[in-house]
Amino acid sequence: QVQLVESGGGLVQPGGSLRLSCAASGNIFRINIMGWSRQAPGKQRELVATITSGGTTNYADSVKGRFTISRDNAKNTVYLQMDNLKPEDTAVYYCNADLSVGRLYNHNNYWGQGTQVTVSS
C-alpha cells in the first residue's frame, strides 16, 4: 500500500528554522504533484506549498520568502525548508501527494499523518 510519512517537526523559537520531509513508499509509478498543508487548532487546513512533476513551485502568501519546497524524485521524497519561523506558523503540517500507482499513469491522492510544528519562545 502507498504510504506518506512526514518527519522533522518540533519546537523552535521565532526566527528559527525547521526542515520537514515526506517520504512516499509503495507501488509508485510517478509522483505527479506533492505539497504541504497545515492546520492550526480550531482553524481550517491551509495550503502552504506545492511542487509539480516539472518542478514548478507555488507558495501561500504568508510563507513566501521564508519557506522552500523541493523534491528528490529518486527517493520519492518532498521537503519543506522553513526559515524565519513565526508563532503563526504553529500547526500540524501534512504532506499531500497526487501519485500514479501501478503500471499506468493515473491519479491517486494521499495524505500523511502530519507532523507538529510549534514556534514559541
Side-chain angles (χ1 to χ4, degrees):
Q1 294 284 351
V2 172
Q3 187 176 44
L4 302 181
V5 180
E6 302 104 327
S7 63
L11 175 64
V12 65
Q13 293 184 346
S17 298
L18 286 173
R19 189 187 190 220
L20 307 182
S21 64
C22 172
S25 62
N27 189 23
I28 300 170
F29 176 75
R30 175 187 173 89
I31 297 175
N32 302 315
I33 302 173
M34 295 188 77
W36 292 91
S37 297
R38 65 187 182 186
Q39 188 166 26
K43 297 183 179 179
Q44 287 192 305
R45 189 168 297 187
E46 173 191 25
L47 182 64
V48 174
T50 60
I51 184 166
T52 69
S53 60
T56 300
T57 58
N58 285 281
Y59 299 92
D61 288 341
S62 59
V63 306
K64 284 182 179 178
R66 300 188 298 118
F67 290 12
T68 304
I69 188 170
S70 61
R71 65 193 297 175
D72 185 336
N73 290 336
K75 296 181 178 179
N76 289 337
T77 300
V78 64
Y79 305 93
L80 185 67
Q81 178 67 43
M82 304 184 294
D83 298 320
N84 191 210
L85 283 161
K86 303 176 180 181
E88 50 262 44
D89 295 318
T90 297
V92 177
Y93 284 70
Y94 296 92
C95 177
N96 179 228
D98 183 309
L99 308 175
S100 293
V101 298
R103 297 191 294 174
L104 298 174
Y105 180 79
N106 49 60
H107 292 278
N108 300 274
N109 196 257
Y110 298 91
W111 289 88
Q113 290 270 75
T115 184
Q116 177 71 47
V117 172
T118 302
V119 184
S120 176
S121 298

